Amino acid sequence: MTAELVRGQNHSLSAVRLEIRISAGTPVVAAATLSDDDGRVPGDEWVVHPGASVLPGLEVPRQAAADHRLAVDLDAMPQAVHRVDVLLALPGAGAGPTRFGAVAAPFVAVTGLDGTELASYTITGLDAESAVIALELYRRQGAWKVRAVGQGYAGGLAELLADRQLPEAARLASTVDEAVAQGLARSVAAPPPRTPDSDRSRQAVPPVAGPDQDDAAAAAQAVSGAVPTQAVSPRADQPSGAPGQQAPQQPYPEHGAPQPTYPVGGGTQATAAVPQPSAPADGTIDYSHPRRTAAPPPPPPTAPVPAPGQPAQPVAGDATGWSMDERLYNQVWGMFEDLARTTAAYRSAVDFAESRRDKELDQILSDPRSRIGGQGDAAREAARARHTELVDQARAALDRDLAQLTAESEVVEPALPPAYARWDNPVWHGYRVPTKMPLAVRLGDLHLPESPSLRIPMLVRLPLERGLWIDSGRTASSGDLFTHEAELRRLAMEAAVAHAARLLAAYPAGEFGVHVIDPAGSAAQTLLPLVRTGVLAAPSATGAVGVADVLSRLTQRVDLVQMAVRGGAPDALPPGFDMSGQLLIVNDFPHGFDDRAVTQLRYLADEGPAVGVHLLMVADREDAAAYGPLLDPLWRSLLRLTPVPDDRLADPWVGHAWTYEPPLVPWGSEVLQQVLTHVATARRARSA
């Protein structure tokens, strides 16, 4: 279990190769200081920051970001180092918040390389502070420990470094701010290169001009499609992540190695320069998405070869994989990557065009001879014209790629199997209960502001590796649409029923059960599709007694399976023990929950997925505000979804904020009832 530290508490570290994961809710700068056995920082060279991001045994990101991952190898630390202080600071420039009291409490976790949390600390109690010492790793009697510090400084990074007895603290803080500002001005790094042994590869999007390129080079590069050598940023989560695995672990916001997921990402830095392959001069995209090095079965027949100069015709399943489901899954993931990459290229090109225009206008204004008069007006008009030309070129490239991705989506969407399809897809009319679990399940759609009509399915791998949370609270996107909280709660519960129906439809008969906790019985009407068809494992639990009974039974189930598996005796489970997966739907949390029930719920969220017990919560976080930071680990452990479109799904790969749309059943459709009826019938036939 993770040690959840409070200020001043320490904990022994069982590993020496670590990751320090930071989540702050707003872009922050991550840095660290190294100290000797007297607690002194001998000089600037003992400070790791975005301008000097690597020292033996320690590496920090080069940019400000809401999420960070710091790589630490304690065995590689010099023998003179006895303490490592992890620092967080709000960027000194920009329009962001200037004090930690105006943002969510930063969260810091120390994990092993496998992602297992060893210790975590939520930094509470900050107000006017703009820099803070979050944690310290220190050597004690040959072993390393971690201590939660939480010491804040209202004077920012300069005051913090001065407190570490650094003589040039102000200059060093200024150096850090300059490095962060340069990082924000840089273009988005290129995505990881394709493996050379892939049978086919997607075309990289046209590159964009960087700050060191002039407008002529940028224009020539955009037309030719040549891709320059760029530093590649390795990505870790997530969302798994994008579409939707639990994380790259990435959005497909939590797609990551080994499987893509959705995300929850952080700032990373370039570590290797890898030349990117040149794109075809005709601007076409190769619609494959390689994922395996071994040769899989041949893909389905492709469309006729297009005439020279004509774009390739997309084909459903045109990706590598051992089955059609896997090919379609990889193709959808490839579409997500392509849309993220081409949008990042467009945004980077626009940023470069604007920065170049502003630079040229500043130069004009700085020269008194050209500030006024016809010469100055002509120079300003020329700068604006170059800006318009570069933006138009970037938009043309984006529109070209969007058109091809839209064509691919129009071919792929009708070919998706039920688990990947929208509720309005005709494939549901021929639904039959599967004999084996599919690769993934669709939990909604994703799109970006530049292409609102192009929806990418958000697919999450099965079995679920984390629980789901349907946020029934008011968001910025829902504030104008829904004035009544009751309406949002009803929509949230409808979304939960739709998600539960999808999971039931994805599993073979009898291999997945659903339990419901509805303390006040407020969701009785919304739960009717599950109740009438008889797919619930038991009637909905109401009242404090019902809540305690369901949680006790599921907690005991998790304990039994864990003991059997860890003891190497899975056959020792009681006779007739049901090994099928279980889903617990919790409505209106925390109403009806006492302290013991809250503890059991947190236990199920942490330990349940590993043994097939999954959580689907419908809750407004504000309702549980009285618990304070106690429930922060619970919310972080769940994949947050919404009952209405919301643009808070973060992509750690290129930094996009994707708009999520829930998979609601069409109004007046009977498809949900029909699918659940099939599931109930197959379950009865199996038990007969």
Side-chain angles (χ1 to χ4, degrees), residues 112-310:
L113 295 184
D114 60 354
T116 302
E117 282 193 10
L118 306 177
S120 64
Y121 173 41
T122 301
I123 310 174
T124 58
L126 298 178
D127 186 11
E129 296 87 347
S130 58
V132 62
I133 301 176
L135 296 174
E136 67 175 15
L137 310 177
Y138 62 98
R139 200 195 308 253
R140 180 64 54 84
Q141 297 179 349
W144 285 90
K145 295 185 176 183
V146 58
R147 175 183 288 117
V149 180
Q151 175 63 51
Y153 295 83
L157 192 58
E159 182 182 351
L160 188 156
L161 295 175
D163 190 50
R164 308 297 295 149
Q165 306 302 317
L166 284 168
E168 300 290 335
R171 180 190 56 78
L172 181 57
S174 177
T175 300
V176 173
D177 288 339
E178 291 176 3
V180 172
Q182 292 174 3
L184 292 175
R186 283 196 293 266
S187 300
V188 177
R194 301 298 183 188
T195 54
D197 56 349
S198 302
D199 57 341
R200 306 172 67 205
S201 64
R202 287 178 175 263
Q203 169 198 348
V205 296
V208 296
D212 55 346
Q213 293 177 284
D214 59 23
D215 52 350
Q221 184 175 311
V223 172
S224 66
V227 180
T229 299
Q230 295 186 7
V232 176
S233 298
R235 298 285 175 184
D237 167 1
Q238 217 232 233
S240 201
Q245 163 77 344
Q246 291 102 332
Q249 261 190 355
Q250 313 93 278
Y252 214 81
E254 225 139 81
H255 277 41
Q259 299 295 346
T261 74
Y262 280 91
V264 234
T268 60
Q269 65 180 43
T271 58
V274 181
Q276 300 294 312
S278 296
D282 59 4
T284 59
I285 288 182
D286 184 357
Y287 280 93
S288 70
H289 187 64
R291 270 295 179 265
R292 291 182 179 274
T293 54
T302 59
V305 178
Q310 297 297 320

Side-chain angles (χ1 to χ4, degrees), residues 527-606:
L527 291 168
L528 281 180
L530 300 176
V531 175
R532 287 175 176 171
T533 54
V535 294
L536 291 181
S540 300
T542 58
V545 175
V547 171
D549 178 61
V550 172
L551 291 176
S552 296
R553 285 190 285 110
L554 291 178
T555 302
Q556 184 182 30
R557 175 191 179 87
V558 172
D559 289 339
L560 287 173
V561 176
Q562 279 188 338
M563 286 189 293
V565 172
R566 292 172 180 174
D571 296 336
L573 290 169
F577 187 83
D578 182 12
M579 289 296 294
S580 63
Q582 305 293 321
L583 176 70
L584 174 60
I585 302 176
V586 178
N587 183 40
D588 277 350
F589 176 82
H591 301 300
F593 282 72
D594 56 19
D595 290 345
R596 176 179 173 81
V598 170
T599 302
Q600 290 176 321
L601 191 69
R602 288 185 55 189
Y603 177 74
L604 291 178
D606 292 338

Side-chain angles (χ1 to χ4, degrees), residues 32-70:
T33 59
L34 310 182
S35 308
D36 57 21
D37 54 354
D38 294 326
R40 295 185 304 105
V41 182
D44 293 0
E45 66 277 5
W46 285 49
V47 181
V48 193
H49 57 82
S53 62
V54 180
L55 283 180
L58 181 61
E59 183 174 357
V60 303
R62 293 181 182 272
Q63 299 184 11
D67 299 279
H68 287 294
R69 293 191 181 189
L70 282 62

Side-chain angles (χ1 to χ4, degrees), residues 607-680:
E607 306 295 337
V611 294
V613 178
H614 309 285
L615 191 61
L616 199 168
M617 284 184 54
V618 179
D620 180 358
R621 189 168 182 172
E622 291 299 321
D623 291 343
Y627 287 93
L630 176 66
L631 291 182
D632 285 351
L634 173 64
W635 305 118
R636 283 193 299 268
S637 69
L638 304 174
L639 173 61
R640 177 183 176 271
L641 305 174
T642 56
V644 294
D646 185 71
D647 60 357
R648 293 173 58 187
L649 189 58
D651 172 5
W653 184 35
V654 289
H656 296 325
W658 293 78
T659 296
Y660 166 80
E661 291 195 0
L664 299 179
V665 179
W667 178 258
S669 174
E670 295 292 330
V671 62
L672 186 68
Q673 190 78 17
Q674 294 171 3
V675 169
L676 292 176
T677 300
H678 281 297
V679 171

Side-chain angles (χ1 to χ4, degrees), residues 381-544:
E381 187 61 31
R384 296 188 182 99
R386 281 191 290 270
H387 167 266
T388 302
E389 180 183 3
L390 290 176
V391 172
D392 289 345
Q393 289 177 352
R395 185 70 213 192
L398 175 66
D399 289 342
R400 180 198 64 207
D401 291 342
L402 291 180
Q404 295 184 23
L405 286 170
T406 300
E408 184 175 16
S409 177
E410 291 173 350
V411 172
V412 169
E413 192 69 49
L416 294 177
Y420 301 175
R422 287 196 296 255
W423 284 113
D424 58 359
N425 193 315
V427 71
W428 284 106
H429 296 298
Y431 168 77
R432 293 294 181 270
V433 177
T435 57
K436 64 177 182 179
M437 184 177 64
L439 193 66
V441 67
R442 185 173 189 159
L443 293 184
D445 293 336
L446 300 171
H447 68 84
L448 291 171
E450 288 80 0
S451 54
S453 61
L454 178 57
R455 265 51 171 188
I456 305 296
M458 177 179 171
L459 303 182
V460 178
R461 293 295 295 265
L462 290 178
L464 297 175
E465 295 181 4
R466 60 192 299 194
L468 306 177
W469 165 33
I470 313 297
D471 190 352
S472 60
R474 191 179 301 279
T475 64
S477 57
S478 67
D480 296 334
L481 297 177
F482 301 95
T483 57
H484 299 293
E485 294 184 2
E487 179 68 6
L488 273 175
R489 295 179 188 274
R490 182 187 64 79
L491 288 175
M493 198 60 200
E494 287 183 356
V497 171
H499 289 312
R502 278 187 171 272
L503 291 170
L504 283 166
Y507 278 79
E511 294 189 11
F512 196 75
V514 177
H515 308 262
V516 176
I517 289 179
D518 186 19
S522 59
Q525 187 66 27
T526 310
L527 291 168
L528 281 180
L530 300 176
V531 175
R532 287 175 176 171
T533 54
V535 294
L536 291 181
S540 300
T542 58

